[in-house]
Amino acid sequence: MKAFWLVRTSLLIILLLSSGVLFALNSETPVDGYKPPTEVSGTVAEDTVWTRDQSPYLVRSSITVSPNVILTVEPGVRDSHRPKSGLHS
């Protein structure tokens, strides 16, 4: 009886550990296509491209584009703005 308990407990521990490893390996995989937003704020001081791959963008506070700097927003980029945020040049 003791040997059965030991085998059962060992198998349960192995199962739990392997499940944890598999979960950790897949933790970067989005669930249902969810992708956390790329957060942006402050000053854009050099030429910058917002790409669809990095989309969506979450504008946390106002963004200022410095003089002679180009901010390019590729087609298909999604962005959302917090209240009282904006884009200034």
Side-chain angles (χ1 to χ4, degrees), residues 6-26:
L6 182 61
V7 169
R8 186 180 70 163
T9 303
S10 298
L11 288 174
L12 182 60
I13 290 171
I14 291 170
L15 178 65
L16 290 172
L17 288 175
S18 62
S19 297
V21 168
L22 290 174
F23 178 76
L25 291 175
N26 289 323

Side-chain angles (χ1 to χ4, degrees), residues 13-80:
I13 290 171
I14 291 170
L15 178 65
L16 290 172
L17 288 175
S18 62
S19 297
V21 168
L22 290 174
F23 178 76
L25 291 175
N26 289 323
S27 64
E28 295 297 318
T29 304
V31 177
D32 296 329
Y34 173 77
K35 180 177 179 294
T38 302
E39 296 185 14
V40 292
S41 63
T43 301
V44 178
E46 59 187 33
D47 291 350
T48 303
V49 178
W50 288 4
T51 64
R52 188 173 183 182
D53 291 341
Q54 295 296 316
S55 183
Y57 288 84
L58 175 59
V59 180
R60 285 248 172 232
S61 62
S62 292
I63 294 179
T64 302
V65 180
S66 296
N68 301 318
V69 171
I70 298 171
L71 172 61
T72 304
V73 181
E74 290 183 344
V77 166
R78 293 179 297 128
D79 66 316
S80 61

